[in-house]
Amino acid sequence: MRIYTAQLSTETNTFAPCPTGWGSFEESTIFHGDASLREPNGMGHVLAEVRRLAEQDGHEIVEGLCAEAQPSGPTIRTVYESLRNEILDGVQAALPLDAVILLLHGAMVAQGYDDCEGDLLAGIRAIVGPDVPISVTLDPHCHFTQLMKASADILIAYKEYPHIDAVDRAREAYELALEMAAGRIRPTIGTFDCRMVGTWPTTSEPMAGFVRRMRSLEGRNGVLSVSLGHGFPWGDVPEAGAKVWVVTDNDAAKAEALAAQLAREFWELRDATRPAWLDIDTSLDRALAVDGGPVVLADVADNPGGGAPCDSTFVLRRVVERGIANVAIGCLWDLGAIQICKDAGVGATLDLRIGGKCSVHSGDPVDLRVTVRGIVEHHAQSIMGLEQPLGRAVWVEAANGLDIALISVRTQVLGVDAFTGLGIDFAAKKLVVVKSTQHFHADFAPRAKAVFHIAAPGALTTAFAELDYRHRDLDYWPRVSNPFAPAR
């Protein structure tokens, strides 16, 4: 068989102040057909697995674009259209094809396009025709749309948050695509809108149990795949929100019924699955009350993985004001501060203005007397054996053993080596504050005495009932107590 594969991924925060342009994609590196070969342990690792599977089975892979950008504001129209057209041109040039396997996000928004993935998939369907399988993996923080459903045969979301199962889902997408191409299955998708907005980490109960429940249904009685799309709360588009969908083998009624059943089960978990996010001082108090350390605190509202600027100072300021000792905080995106420290050199002591530069959500800069302790020209963090660049990075130390990690590539914290790779002694700190929401958990939680999530001010407000939506329906939980109740 001849299989076309490509990757296009970014998550759009429509409230974010900074647009997503060429620079955002170029920071992650754009590959034109060889990501699986050039970065099999980095950005191309999932494409590398698809290639491995195909070559192992004696199939031919035609690999196209691989482009990814850190979440931010809407993508510039011409940038999206250029990326989309490269994939469409690649599909056209690769004909005839037996299958198309795509690695997408599902919450990409561009100027003039509320549903980039749906637009891309519709374009591919127009090229390959109705009979070639199109199989897609999605981030669970996707907007599952009717255009996506109409254009693809198989849509599969990662089940875990943090997303530790991307490779597993790609294997699933590959296997089902080949089964369909061989005529052994006829996938049908049923979906149900949960009318919910929120975030649902799967590292604790009852969400961990709900993931087990979905998995238990797959591969039995004609059920091919089950997905929960959590939705992306900070994407203001008409079809946003949590949805359940089920892929069955030629049984539309079963797909719709099972999706509705699972959505009802998920709805019943709504109160038990609400994250316990605390204000800054309460979080600091609870962390300090823990015997020993390190205690990890997640600065959820400034998570660049959700489109935040990654330079807010609200937590840093309170740590300084309260005189809390032996704290590490990172990573803050501050190009100016990094350049100043680079010029000063390791060992220099200087007055440095940190953070608070990008928007009103960043807070005011914090002025500190610091010593430059470390400079790494090409810093990186690793998670699950994969490496992610952080660019030129600097470690500065302020009074009371306050260690601050500054990075030049805006990225959420994933691995402990974001700190230790700069020389910061993670294990010796009392508190470690990370700019992340949940993806840090896999590497940090096993090393932490406790983990707390801070609902600080910032670009990612956690007051889901108060989000300033202009385009999506406002009839959703928790804005209303029961969006399924009959209208009065």
Side-chain angles (χ1 to χ4, degrees):
M1 291 187 185
R2 185 172 167 86
I3 303 166
Y4 180 88
T5 185
Q7 176 176 336
L8 176 59
S9 179
T10 190
E11 179 180 65
T12 301
N13 183 330
T14 58
F15 303 109
C18 305
T20 302
W22 281 119
S24 301
F25 285 96
E26 289 165 353
E27 272 191 337
S28 297
T29 307
I30 301 173
F31 297 92
H32 304 280
D34 57 0
S36 65
L37 302 174
R38 290 176 55 197
E39 276 203 8
N41 295 315
M43 186 173 164
H45 76 284
V46 184
L47 285 170
E49 178 63 11
V50 175
R51 178 181 289 277
R52 185 192 69 79
L53 291 169
E55 292 179 348
Q56 172 185 282
D57 293 341
H59 303 306
E60 180 185 0
I61 277 286
V62 180
E63 184 176 328
L65 176 74
C66 177
E68 183 173 321
Q70 278 295 307
S72 195
T75 300
I76 301 298
R77 184 184 189 118
T78 54
V79 173
Y80 164 64
E81 290 176 342
S82 178
L83 296 168
R84 175 201 63 190
N85 292 345
E86 180 171 340
I87 294 176
L88 296 181
D89 290 346
V91 171
Q92 183 72 55
L95 295 175
L97 289 166
D98 297 290
V100 175
I101 300 173
L102 297 177
L103 314 177
L104 305 178
H105 185 284
M108 183 180 184
V109 179
Q111 296 166 342
Y113 297 89
D114 284 340
D115 177 16
C116 291
E117 287 85 357
D119 176 67
L120 172 63
L121 291 170
I124 293 173
R125 178 59 73 196
I127 294 170
V128 302
D131 300 323
V132 174
I134 300 177
S135 187
V136 183
T137 65
L138 298 169
D139 188 292
H141 298 112
C142 60
H143 311 305
F144 184 92
T145 69
Q146 289 303 305
L147 184 57
M148 292 161 61
K149 178 184 175 184
S151 303
D153 299 287
I154 300 157
L155 293 157
I156 299 169
Y158 312 153
K159 288 183 170 60
E160 301 290 351
Y161 181 36
H163 309 328
I164 57 175
D165 60 329
V167 170
D168 290 336
R169 301 289 76 77
R171 291 172 183 147
E172 183 182 345
Y174 168 85
E175 290 166 2
L176 292 180
L178 264 61
E179 286 289 292
M180 181 181 174
R184 289 189 284 269
I185 60 171
R186 294 179 60 189
T188 303
I189 301 175
T191 185
F192 192 92
D193 187 345
C194 304
R195 302 185 190 178
M196 299 166 70
V197 170
T199 61
W200 292 279
T202 61
T203 49
S204 60
E205 299 296 349
M207 278 307 298
F210 191 77
V211 169
R212 291 193 299 272
R213 164 79 167 135
M214 289 193 294
R215 284 179 173 159
S216 72
L217 297 166
E218 295 176 322
R220 302 168 51 202
N221 303 317
V223 176
L224 304 175
S225 177
V226 179
S227 294
L228 168 64
H230 299 200
F232 184 57
W234 303 280
D236 182 14
V237 293
E239 294 182 85
K243 296 183 178 75
V244 174
W245 69 90
V246 174
V247 184
T248 60
D249 183 6
N250 198 30
D251 193 335
K254 175 176 284 187
E256 293 288 347
L258 184 54
Q261 176 185 327
L262 289 169
R264 287 191 292 270
E265 293 176 20
F266 181 56
W267 168 258
E268 292 300 325
L269 300 176
R270 64 193 181 282
D271 291 319
T273 54
R274 276 189 171 183
W277 292 340
L278 311 169
D279 62 69
I280 296 175
D281 282 308
T282 302
S283 298
L284 293 173
D285 290 342
R286 292 195 183 181
L288 291 170
V290 175
D291 184 21
V295 177
V296 176
L297 299 105
D299 185 0
V300 173
D302 196 36
N303 172 24
C310 196
D311 74 334
S312 83
T313 57
F314 300 104
V315 179
L316 172 62
R317 184 174 298 280
R318 285 304 291 151
V319 168
V320 173
E321 289 171 346
R322 292 181 54 165
I324 300 173
N326 199 20
V327 178
I329 184 168
C331 296
L332 278 80
W333 186 54
D334 195 327
L335 303 179
I338 288 172
Q339 185 62 52
I340 291 169
C341 292
K342 166 69 174 176
D343 292 343
V346 174
T349 298
L350 67 155
D351 294 319
L352 189 65
R353 176 160 284 191
I354 298 173
K357 296 179 174 67
C358 286
S359 77
V360 295
H361 300 298
S362 301
D364 296 323
V366 173
D367 293 297
L368 294 172
R369 186 74 172 170
V370 303
T371 299
V372 180
R373 296 298 186 193
I375 301 173
V376 176
E377 283 298 322
H378 302 287
H379 189 30
Q381 60 182 344
S382 57
I383 184 74
M384 297 176 61
L386 306 173
E387 187 173 280
Q388 184 176 60
L390 298 172
R392 178 184 287 172
V394 171
W395 161 29
V396 296
E397 181 184 12
N400 290 324
L402 172 58
D403 293 325
I404 303 170
L406 307 173
I407 55 174
S408 58
V409 175
R410 187 178 63 90
T411 305
Q412 69 176 302
V413 172
L414 301 174
V416 169
D417 52 356
F419 293 95
T420 60
L422 285 170
I424 298 171
D425 189 351
F426 170 85
K429 306 309 290 186
K430 172 60 181 176
L431 306 182
V432 178
V433 181
V434 297
K435 299 284 187 178
S436 184
T437 299
Q438 181 68 4
H439 289 313
F440 73 93
H441 198 277
D443 204 37
F444 281 76
R447 297 172 167 88
K449 282 294 185 73
V451 175
F452 297 98
H453 292 74
I454 306 176
L460 301 186
T461 174
T462 57
F464 298 126
E466 301 168 15
L467 286 166
D468 188 24
Y469 289 132
R470 305 296 175 86
H471 302 288
R472 71 147 292 150
D473 188 342
L474 299 182
D475 190 24
Y476 69 87
W477 180 91
R479 186 183 285 265
V480 298
S481 60
N482 184 4
F484 297 102
R488 295 181 180 178

